Amino acid sequence: MPIKKDRLKWIYERMCLIRKFEDHVHDEFAAGAIAGFVHLYAGEEAIAVGTMANLRDDDSITSTHRGHGHCIAKGVDINAMLAEIYGKATGACKGKGGSMHIADMTKGMLGANGIVGAGPPLACGAALAAKLRGTDQVTACFFGDGASNQGTFHESLNLASIWDLPIVFVAENNVYAETTSTDYSMRVPNIADRAVAYGIPGVVVDGMDVFAVYDAAAEAVARARKGKGPTLLEGKTYRYYGHFEGDTILYRTKQEEQSYKDRDPILQFHKRVLEEGLLSEDQLAKIDQQTDTTLKKAKIFAAASPFPEPQECLEDVYVKYP
Amino acid sequence: MPEREITYREAINEAFVQEMQRDPNVILLGEDIAGAPGRDDPDMLDAWGGVFGMTKGLVGKFGSQRMLDTPISESAFIGAAVGAAASGMRPVVELMFVGFCGVCLDQIVNQGAKLRYMFGGRAKVPVTVRTTIGAGLGAAAQHSDCLYSIFTHYPGLKCVLPATPADAKGLLAAAIRDDDPVIYFENKVLYETKGPVPEGEHVVEIGKANIVRQGTDVTVVALSRMVNVALEAADILNKEGISIEIVDPRTISPLDEQTILDSVRKTERLVVVDEDHPRCSMATDIIALVATKAFEYLDAPARMVTPPHTPVPFSPVLEKFYVPDAQRIVKAVMAVVPQKR
């Protein structure tokens, strides 16, 4: 089914925003302005945005250490995100989480997560809550190729399949778990091939093509929403930056990197919507400008925000502790 | 009117019935907590009611939508309980034996315990993890640990250790109603012990110790099943003219420091009886508490009565040697009282 014009604009806007956000964070980390462990999503935008374009505000997602893209696509406030990454009091987590733990329960964003493979069990819980309450909410569970070798992935696919949980498991196969390629870490060519072990559909799509992701996610989300159970959807993608900021990236070739950049999800989208007359040059330029403004405002907000008071370290451990 | 007496097992079951009636968001998850899931034969449902029969009868009352038998996938279903709790449910999930925590610890300590803090207080995780502890059934090294000290170590978790049927009921109700993750440690050797338990609503406040027996000469802090062993020792010591005060912390995170310190300031002597492994344990923690906050009151070095630092052995002879008994408590108490007798 063709994607509506407003949706197309939203897709372009979100993909641009993610890319610009990540490029900015990259520069700021290099400049020494950001502390800690930072993992960037640039290159993978089509997966978060193509999936989230099929979700409602009241649907839930679980994310990964590479979570900025999921947050932006799910509608987490970009000002609060950037402030969090700088460790500011106005951050999404009041400076207690940082890049790896940005969350917004009010947006159904159940957290970026520092533990590879931790999301799938949590996603089962969110989906179980929806199912037991009789709502038609869906949970999308994002994870990488590395996580697909964790026990939690396998246990969760099994649990979700026997309970027909409304989940879409979205594998972002960016080829490398840190330095280790999927050629080494898996005997099957596709993560989605593992779906057969759990009696659920397994679908492989080009994760650099947001149209392909959108279509596959639409089907998987519809299936989940109808109560027909989970799908394992794999997007083949690539992270443009290293595993973390500071990675020397000595484990892959420049030619390989270029081969993915030649199929850049934003450029591909740009080209296709113009060719097919879906959006105009002007419309795209306007969106481009809007995202510049949005990011600029976020930078100003984050820069102007105070750091937390040191004693705020002691708060938020428990709801109540005598 | 004397209260009716029921077992620790019955008290836990009763708390479940009452809490599940009270709040439709309370659901139970675990391996074989009903039994024979998915079977058409209604006589097979509730085949076990949990490995120790703790949840027997609940599936008949509340249905299999709220009594979710799981595959043997502790990471997935404990993580799912955490995720469901963060999504507004109030799950009670069973980790059959605490020794199995190794396969799913991340979901408890990195997810359940930390989500609220990592998210700046903008999430809550009202999950209860029930698990069984304790040696004495010949279950050997992987099914007999206590390990509650490990969970106490983690900020974000609350840990409760009921020693009596009344506390078993009251602390389970409190754990389920609590908005933070609570680990509820059942000592499986206590399941058949009987005691008075209030019939209606009964909630024991988390963070309040219980002075099980008043005494004047020595404070004996005893945990979980060791409370009963300390009571045996108290009777023996009483005949020797020595009066011990038994303090049961009941909850170890939070720990009711004040009650322990007040007791030590009164008796000026301390023995801690703990069935958990002795290093980095509640025993060492409580002694450190007294050493830092009431050292000047101590008239003798504090003593701890614990198992040796070994895994739990199988043979009944070895296991009997391993678990602290009343005689060892008597010996420790005698060592801290003045040698006037």
Side-chain angles (χ1 to χ4, degrees):
Chain A
M1 208 171 74
I3 309 173
K4 290 192 179 120
K5 190 166 276 188
D6 278 355
R7 245 336 167 190
L8 285 173
K9 286 182 177 173
W10 181 87
I11 286 170
Y12 186 64
E13 190 253 342
R14 290 287 124 175
M15 289 205 297
C16 287
L17 199 51
I18 294 171
R19 177 66 56 85
K20 288 171 184 174
F21 187 92
E22 297 297 62
D23 288 347
H24 172 66
V25 173
H26 173 79
D27 292 345
E28 284 290 277
F29 189 91
I34 292 170
F37 296 166
V38 174
H39 311 79
L40 300 180
Y41 196 74
E44 305 188 14
E45 294 88 350
I47 299 183
V49 176
T51 303
M52 240 66 87
N54 289 284
L55 294 186
R56 302 189 311 229
D57 285 351
D58 68 340
D59 290 328
S60 294
I61 65 165
T62 62
S63 174
T64 70
H65 55 286
R66 200 175 305 290
H68 302 169
H70 307 133
C71 290
I72 292 173
K74 194 68 176 72
V76 177
D77 177 42
I78 191 172
N79 292 358
M81 283 181 64
L82 198 56
E84 185 62 33
I85 291 166
Y86 286 103
K88 297 295 183 77
T90 55
C93 310
K94 295 164 25 187
K96 290 205 172 82
S99 165
M100 273 192 291
H101 304 297
I102 300 175
D104 186 347
M105 308 301 282
T106 66
K107 302 279 182 189
M109 165 51 187
L110 306 186
N113 206 307
I115 305 295
V116 171
L122 300 174
C124 285
L128 177 65
K131 186 180 163 116
L132 293 176
R133 290 211 183 99
T135 76
D136 66 348
Q137 289 160 298
V138 169
T139 301
C141 171
F142 295 91
F143 57 94
D145 43 285
S148 76
N149 294 326
Q150 281 279 30
T152 48
F153 163 82
H154 295 274
E155 288 188 21
S156 298
L157 257 70
N158 187 56
L159 197 67
S161 76
I162 64 165
W163 286 351
D164 289 324
L165 294 179
I167 303 188
V168 182
F169 291 100
V170 185
E172 299 174 319
N173 184 348
N174 65 19
V175 195
Y176 295 91
E178 302 190 338
T179 72
T180 304
S181 78
T182 51
D183 287 346
Y184 178 86
S185 64
M186 291 166 46
R187 188 64 82 194
V188 287
N190 305 303
I191 295 167
D193 295 347
R194 292 172 168 174
V196 73
Y198 305 105
I200 62 172
V203 182
V204 181
V205 293
D206 177 0
M208 307 301 276
D209 176 0
V210 74
F211 288 94
V213 175
Y214 180 91
D215 288 345
E219 196 176 331
V221 169
R223 180 181 145 84
R225 218 178 284 293
K226 281 185 219 145
K228 294 187 174 168
T231 299
L232 174 56
L233 173 61
E234 175 183 6
K236 304 279 193 190
T237 185
Y238 207 71
R239 55 170 153 79
Y240 288 177
Y241 293 115
H243 164 65
F244 61 98
E245 287 311 281
D247 185 355
T248 48
I249 327 182
L250 296 174
Y251 44 84
R252 62 187 199 191
T253 65
K254 295 287 168 212
Q255 292 93 315
E256 183 185 278
E257 291 178 12
Q258 194 54 50
S259 73
Y260 283 92
K261 288 178 179 172
D262 289 345
R263 301 193 293 113
D264 182 82
I266 298 172
L267 296 180
Q268 271 199 73
F269 177 93
H270 196 278
K271 189 159 170 273
R272 179 163 168 182
V273 293
L274 288 179
E275 276 172 8
E276 297 185 9
L278 301 170
L279 295 174
S280 70
E281 195 77 79
D282 278 356
Q283 284 169 326
L284 292 170
K286 198 176 157 204
I287 292 168
D288 227 354
Q289 258 177 8
Q290 279 168 358
T291 55
D292 284 337
T293 309
T294 306
L295 184 62
K296 197 176 161 193
K297 283 182 183 163
K299 290 179 198 174
I300 293 167
F301 174 83
S305 291
F307 283 103
E309 294 298 323
Q311 63 270 24
E312 285 176 42
C313 165
L314 307 178
E315 296 166 7
D316 300 323
V317 184
Y318 296 92
V319 175
K320 183 172 173 248
Y321 203 72
Chain B
M1 194 176 76
E3 281 181 294
R4 51 89 207 232
E5 294 208 344
I6 58 173
T7 64
Y8 190 93
R9 176 207 308 276
E10 289 162 341
I12 288 173
N13 194 278
E14 189 169 280
F16 273 129
V17 172
Q18 291 178 1
E19 293 307 306
M20 291 178 86
Q21 280 168 347
R22 183 176 175 272
D23 183 350
N25 286 322
V26 176
I27 55 169
L28 273 56
L29 301 92
E31 294 152 3
D32 315 297
I33 59 170
R39 293 290 169 142
D40 292 332
D41 185 346
D43 294 338
M44 282 187 181
L45 276 181
D46 216 17
W48 276 17
V51 70
F52 292 105
M54 308 305 293
T55 44
K56 189 88 181 162
L58 298 180
V59 71
K61 288 188 178 76
F62 301 102
S64 48
Q65 288 286 300
R66 295 180 67 191
M67 282 287 293
L68 293 151
D69 276 305
T70 65
I72 300 179
S73 307
E74 285 87 354
S75 279
F77 72 75
I78 291 179
V82 170
S87 305
M89 303 300 287
R90 208 164 269 279
V92 184
V93 63
E94 180 177 311
L95 174 62
M96 195 182 281
F97 296 90
V98 75
F100 300 174
C101 72
V103 300
C104 58
L105 201 62
D106 182 68
Q107 296 296 328
I108 302 173
V109 305
N110 259 332
Q111 312 302 326
K114 294 181 185 170
L115 289 188
R116 180 174 179 79
Y117 191 78
M118 292 190 300
F119 300 171
R122 290 172 177 149
K124 64 176 185 181
V125 186
V127 66
T128 301
V129 180
R130 271 179 64 225
T131 191
T132 65
I133 60 169
L137 299 182
Q142 294 170 340
H143 292 70
S144 304
D145 283 320
C146 285
L147 302 187
Y148 38 73
S149 58
I150 291 178
F151 298 90
T152 306
H153 192 67
Y154 279 94
L157 299 178
K158 294 175 179 172
C159 298
V160 303
L161 304 176
T164 66
D167 286 349
K169 178 175 175 180
L171 284 171
L172 183 54
I176 292 171
R177 294 180 192 192
D178 202 280
D179 280 339
D180 291 309
V182 181
I183 318 293
Y184 179 92
F185 297 91
E186 301 169 14
N187 194 309
K188 53 194 181 284
V189 179
L190 294 176
Y191 281 150
E192 299 312 318
T193 57
K194 273 195 154 184
V197 179
E199 284 190 46
E201 184 177 67
H202 174 57
V203 183
V204 171
E205 189 182 343
I206 291 177
K208 286 276 179 276
N210 182 28
I211 297 176
V212 177
R213 183 172 173 137
Q214 304 266 356
T216 53
D217 296 331
V218 180
T219 295
V220 175
V221 178
L223 298 152
S224 187
R225 179 193 163 203
M226 290 298 115
V227 172
N228 293 356
V229 183
L231 281 165
E232 275 178 58
D235 289 339
I236 298 168
L237 288 160
N238 206 30
K239 288 173 194 146
E240 302 289 325
I242 298 167
S243 155
I244 64 172
E245 176 149 296
I246 302 174
V247 178
D248 172 8
R250 299 197 285 196
T251 79
I252 51 176
S253 180
L255 181 69
D256 182 352
E257 298 185 354
Q258 200 56 50
T259 299
I260 295 168
L261 292 170
D262 287 348
S263 178
V264 170
R265 286 175 184 136
K266 183 176 83 175
T267 65
E268 301 176 340
R269 291 172 177 81
L270 174 66
V271 171
V272 183
V273 192
D274 182 7
E275 192 191 327
D276 207 346
H277 304 302
R279 298 293 318 281
C280 302
S281 62
M282 282 313 300
T284 58
D285 189 66
I286 290 166
I287 288 174
L289 167 75
V290 171
T292 50
K293 295 192 178 166
F295 185 75
E296 65 275 26
Y297 289 89
L298 285 178
D299 280 348
R303 291 255 172 174
M304 49 192 248
V305 179
T306 70
H309 198 54
T310 69
V312 183
F314 163 66
S315 166
V317 172
L318 301 177
E319 194 183 39
K320 188 169 184 304
F321 174 86
Y322 176 91
V323 181
D325 61 12
Q327 282 308 324
R328 287 184 53 199
I329 298 174
V330 167
K331 211 171 145 191
V333 168
M334 297 295 259
V336 298
V337 294
Q339 300 298 311
K340 62 186 180 190
R341 297 172 182 89

